[in-house]
Amino acid sequence: MKNLKISFFIFALLFLLFSTFRQGLDMERHVDLSPTYVAANLLWSGQGETIYKNSAYGQTRSKAWVEFESQQMDGMATDTSFLYLPAYLLLISPLLLLGSFQAFKIVFLLLKIIGLSILLAQLADKWSRSYITGLLIIGLLSMTDAIFDSLQYGQNIEFLALLIPVYFYRVRKDHRGYSIGFFILAVLIKPWAAFLLAVPLIDRNLKLFLLLIVSLLLLLGIQILWLPGPMLDFWNQTVAHGEISILAYNNASLSALIHKISFAPNWMNHFHWEPAPENPSLISMIIRLFIGTLLFIYATSSRIGLHQRLAIMIIPPVLMGIFWNHYLLLYFPFLLYLNRRMGLRARTAIFWFLLLLALWPDVHSVKVFINSFLLRGIQLQTLGYILPFLHFMGPLILLATVLTFAVTDWRSRLLRSPRQILVLRSGRRPQIIGRTDNANS
């Protein structure tokens, strides 16, 4: 825990333990954790061919899954599918020694809380100007929908949130062994974390980029040799999942925003976790690829590291069809940076108002404000166009930030003369170029 204040960690740990277990140890809706438990048990019981036989969102149920749930989980149905790589089960397997799903769930939840406590303590230590401010940061972030949903559904996004900053640092320092190791771990935790392949390109580190591609191919190749059938099923599941559009409130992807606006206001009839019809997939793909390309171009052209990282990090909600709002946990460092950068200005109030709608919409007081004041009296037809932007508010703030960064960088480059640019690129100490005579002459 280098550079980590133990007091912040202890406070975050106690705060999360109290808020998580105050209603009892057994959380009711670990729908994202139970498929991992079922798949791991099926794999090690010799039924590895069945781990990807469940379709997404329970449309097709595998017989092996139903039998296992009936015998080992008191008939609790898992309406989602397992969409991680088979090798991810190797990381989870030691927890199977605990026996029951109840024990598995509690231990995994404790590991999540420890991971979140480390993350929150790091953020408080880095971005607070005083001890009280650090405690306030921990308390406020702990009450966000991102953390609440991650704990409630049994997600593993906090482990990715801990890995990504370290991965960025190792890539920047060209520590190739560490970079490859953290990249593989990130892909095991979330297969869509393969977008981190783009990070070495920021520094024009083509050799590391190729090494990461080779390591990814080796990871996939070993699993294909190990479980050829399930790996083919994994690919088919991934493709099928990518074609599904979910219009629930907690899908914070650009794809969902485009679908909702094109389908307004009828999209509200599909306001649940089920595949929705009338998806303008072709137009949506063109728009998302265009924005994603612009983000990548800016990331590789900017000279400011944090701007580069944010541009790369915002690519997933732009390109992915489903980007759950608990994934916004990945962007806490950037949001805290923006808060400090703004200072006490008029636009800070606007920023915090939008941030309130993005991170705390399910907090009772915020929900009352939204329903009783912000949206009061608005007709259903109009709500069909307003609500999609509220659901997309988190990525929208970040996209607007990247746009602001890009415009600022562009203006600063225009203000530089060609001679200034040559001096800066040469690596020599910049000098004031222009008039050198005395101001009074």
Side-chain angles (χ1 to χ4, degrees):
M1 295 184 180
K2 187 178 179 180
N3 299 325
L4 179 65
K5 289 188 176 179
I6 300 298
S7 56
F8 283 152
F9 171 75
I10 294 174
F11 177 77
L13 184 66
L14 294 176
F15 192 100
L16 289 171
L17 283 172
F18 173 76
S19 61
T20 301
F21 293 117
R22 60 183 176 181
Q23 295 180 346
L25 290 177
D26 187 18
M27 302 290 284
E28 295 180 358
R29 301 174 61 187
H30 278 88
V31 295
D32 292 334
L33 180 57
S34 50
T36 301
Y37 178 76
V38 176
N41 277 279
L42 291 176
L43 176 65
W44 297 118
S45 64
Q47 302 182 74
E49 297 293 326
T50 66
I51 60 178
Y52 296 108
K53 294 302 183 183
N54 258 11
S55 67
Y57 303 97
Q59 295 170 318
T60 302
R61 301 281 291 137
S62 166
K63 182 180 178 180
W65 281 65
V66 174
E67 290 179 353
F68 181 86
E69 291 163 354
S70 176
Q71 297 170 5
Q72 304 293 332
M73 302 176 68
D74 298 324
M76 185 186 71
T78 302
D79 293 332
T80 56
S81 55
F82 179 73
L83 275 178
Y84 298 93
L85 288 165
Y88 175 69
L89 298 176
L90 298 178
L91 300 178
I92 297 298
S93 293
L95 298 182
L96 297 181
L97 299 175
L98 298 168
S100 67
F101 178 60
Q102 177 75 2
F104 174 86
K105 182 165 52 175
I106 292 173
V107 172
F108 189 80
L109 193 59
L110 288 172
L111 292 175
K112 284 167 56 64
I113 289 174
I114 292 172
L116 281 170
S117 300
I118 295 173
L119 176 66
L120 294 175
Q122 288 175 336
L123 294 176
D125 189 32
K126 182 175 179 62
W127 297 108
S128 61
R129 289 190 172 94
S130 67
Y131 184 73
I132 298 300
T133 306
L135 298 180
L136 184 62
I137 288 175
I138 292 173
L140 287 175
L141 292 181
S142 296
M143 293 187 290
T144 58
D145 283 14
I147 287 184
F148 180 80
D149 285 356
S150 178
L151 291 170
Q152 178 177 237
Y153 296 122
Q155 267 285 340
N156 59 1
I157 192 65
E158 52 279 319
F159 303 119
L160 184 61
L162 286 170
L163 275 177
I164 286 180
V166 183
Y167 171 74
F168 271 110
Y169 173 80
R170 294 298 181 179
V171 170
R172 181 58 59 92
K173 295 295 183 179
D174 197 23
H175 297 164
R176 295 173 185 173
Y178 285 110
S179 299
I180 292 171
F182 287 125
F183 173 72
I184 294 299
L185 276 176
V187 172
L188 291 179
I189 292 172
K190 290 293 181 188
W192 51 261
F195 81 94
L196 294 172
L197 274 172
V199 176
L201 297 178
I202 294 176
D203 297 323
R204 311 294 199 277
N205 194 338
L206 186 59
K207 184 174 291 187
L208 179 56
F209 172 71
L210 294 176
L211 286 174
L212 291 177
I213 289 181
V214 171
S215 66
L216 180 60
L217 292 176
L218 283 174
L219 174 67
L220 297 176
I222 291 171
Q223 292 175 101
I224 290 173
L225 294 174
W226 175 33
L227 296 168
M231 279 300 290
L232 178 61
D233 292 337
F234 167 77
W235 173 256
N236 293 332
Q237 275 271 40
T238 303
V239 172
H241 198 270
E243 296 173 351
I244 292 175
S245 181
I246 302 295
L247 302 185
Y249 72 94
N250 58 341
N251 182 7
S253 69
L254 179 59
S255 174
L257 172 68
I258 296 171
H259 191 173
K260 289 174 183 177
I261 293 175
S262 66
F263 195 26
N266 296 328
W267 68 266
M268 288 187 282
N269 296 326
H270 303 275
F271 196 46
H272 300 286
W273 296 276
E274 59 183 23
E278 301 188 34
N279 182 17
S281 54
L282 180 59
I283 296 176
S284 175
M285 184 183 299
I286 293 173
I287 294 173
R288 289 182 289 143
L289 284 176
F290 176 73
I291 296 176
T293 302
L294 291 180
L295 287 169
F296 178 74
I297 292 173
Y298 173 67
T300 55
S301 62
S302 175
R303 296 186 180 91
I304 303 176
L306 188 136
H307 296 185
Q308 295 174 325
R309 294 192 292 273
L310 179 56
I312 288 293
M313 287 295 297
I314 200 63
I315 288 178
V318 169
L319 294 184
M320 292 169 59
I322 299 175
F323 190 85
W324 301 118
N325 65 354
H326 48 260
Y327 295 167
L328 293 178
L329 195 150
L330 299 174
Y331 303 97
F332 284 178
F334 298 103
L335 295 172
L336 290 172
Y337 163 77
L338 292 176
N339 177 64
R340 173 178 288 188
R341 176 172 172 167
M342 288 185 176
L344 297 176
R345 304 178 186 177
R347 63 181 182 179
T348 307
I350 299 175
F351 170 76
W352 268 101
F353 174 73
L354 296 177
L355 202 60
L356 193 70
L357 301 179
L359 297 183
W360 293 276
D362 277 344
V363 174
H364 179 70
S365 55
V366 179
K367 188 182 293 185
V368 169
F369 169 74
I370 293 174
N371 295 332
S372 302
F373 296 96
L374 191 62
L375 301 179
R376 185 177 182 181
I378 298 178
Q379 296 181 351
L380 186 64
Q381 181 80 20
T382 308
L383 277 177
Y385 293 96
I386 294 177
L387 289 177
F389 287 96
L390 289 179
H391 302 156
F392 187 65
M393 186 59 67
L396 187 61
I397 293 173
L398 297 168
L399 279 172
T401 301
V402 173
L403 178 61
T404 304
F405 288 161
V407 171
T408 303
D409 291 351
W410 179 67
R411 285 179 176 175
S412 66
R413 292 183 187 184
L414 285 181
L415 291 175
R416 293 174 180 168
S417 68
R419 186 179 173 190
Q420 283 176 306
I421 293 175
L422 288 174
V423 169
L424 290 173
R425 287 181 176 176
S426 68
R428 291 182 283 120
R429 183 177 178 180
Q431 299 176 353
I432 298 176
I433 301 174
R435 290 183 58 184
T436 57
D437 53 340
N438 189 285
N440 295 325
S441 61

